[in-house]
Amino acid sequence: MLKDKGKRRWVKSYLRKHFHILGCTVVLSFSLGYFWRPDVLVMTPWFVPIVWEGTYNLEILNEQFQQRNITVGLTVFAIKKYVVFLKTFLETAEMYFMVGHKVNYYIFTDRPQEVPKVEFKEERNVVVLQVQNYPRWEEISMRRMEMINHFSQKQFINEVDYLVCADVDMRFNDLVGVEILSNLFGTLHPGFYTAERQSFTYERRPASQAYVPPDKGDFYYAGGLFGGTVKEVYKLTKKCHEAIMVDKDNGIEAIWQEESHLNKYFVYHKPTKILSPEYLWDDSLGRPQILRKRRFLAVPKDHDAIKNK
Ligand code: 5GW
Ligand code: MN
């Protein structure tokens, strides 16, 4: 009883003494557009935000980004049979992706005729980039780094401010807006966001360029959603592509292909923002309470029917 009273008195005097600090923090957080979530990790050890629903003020952020008049590029690959995913991907992106901002969709495909006709809103354009395909799916997936890198220098740098690089076998299911934008951002892999470092599926063979030593690494990131400024994405994709080519020369392929190289890159080039698994979820993992939104969802695929056709 007594102890409890003492504690309460302490809290009272603390609040009286330090209210200006608390007040300033609250005011500052609100004006910067950030809030707190007590149930999830909202900041990395290197003090960059991890974006969850409830940790930002979209109205304020929208105003800030609208003043800067930015354009966002969304890159997506639809090689071979994967063109079947484009319609849903694009239609849901029109509903939820960067609403109120200028968007360029960059569709990399070997089948330009099979890109569906979708109605795009004002100041939202689609650009079809014809690229070659590769016989092995691993290579299709990995070569994305090379192609994004190539077009970043050739085209994206002149057309957009930020790039968002996404898997195509996905649908938007809730708002994905400017709260994700930063110089360099990655997304927590939905299968590993609660896992410990030792269970991250980094490449563990030192012979690969994607090797991450057991005592390194903060998070396990998903290959299906990353981005940043064109300059940062250029640097990331260049480094990853070069590492993939060195591995190829050495007759080794990283365990999770380009995702392994992306994870290696993020160990040594820390992202300036991290997206929670709200931004890349798969309902086959269930629907945990802490996910207040499922913004970008994996579309179930029949592997045999679609892969390598
Ligand atoms: C085909 C067979 C096996 C794995 C990947 C492919 C494949 C991937 C393809 O034939 N065409 C293609 O465009 N891709 C691109 O690579 C898509 O943008 C796809 O979203 C991305 C990654 O491959 P996913 O989505 O099959 O990988 P997971 O790990 O999400 O299942
Ligand atoms: Mn995918």
Side-chain angles (χ1 to χ4, degrees), residues 82 144 167-170 224 280 298-299 301:
Y82 273 52
R144 291 187 288 175
D167 265 16
V168 74
D169 56 339
M170 304 289 298
L280 203 157
V299 173
K301 52 186 182 276

Side-chain angles (χ1 to χ4, degrees), residues 257-283:
Q257 295 83 36
E258 80 294 339
E259 184 174 86
S260 306
H261 291 276
L262 178 76
N263 271 280
K264 163 79 179 276
Y265 187 85
F266 281 153
V267 172
Y268 299 102
H269 307 80
K270 304 283 190 221
T272 55
K273 194 177 266 187
I274 293 185
L275 310 183
S276 70
E278 293 169 5
Y279 292 87
L280 203 157
W281 191 251
D282 186 333
D283 276 348

Side-chain angles (χ1 to χ4, degrees), residues 211-230:
Y211 172 67
V212 176
D215 62 339
K216 288 271 167 18
D218 313 286
F219 301 103
Y220 190 76
Y221 301 92
L225 188 67
F226 64 90
T229 56
V230 180

Side-chain angles (χ1 to χ4, degrees), residues 96-153:
Y96 296 118
F97 183 74
M98 298 291 159
V99 175
H101 299 272
K102 296 198 275 183
V103 172
N104 284 359
Y105 297 98
Y106 295 110
I107 302 175
F108 295 77
T109 184
D110 58 333
R111 302 179 179 183
Q113 284 81 16
E114 291 179 44
V115 174
K117 300 274 170 286
V118 171
E119 283 233 2
F120 295 100
K121 299 204 182 78
E122 223 176 294
E123 303 210 282
R124 300 174 73 99
N125 310 298
V126 65
V127 180
V128 178
L129 303 168
Q130 187 165 5
V131 295
Q132 73 174 98
N133 64 39
Y134 289 90
R136 292 177 60 243
W137 70 262
E138 292 90 342
E139 190 136 25
I140 291 175
S141 196
M142 288 195 296
R143 288 282 177 174
R144 291 187 288 175
M145 290 293 183
E146 179 183 30
M147 297 185 206
I148 293 170
N149 183 251
H150 177 82
F151 281 93
S152 292
Q153 190 179 30

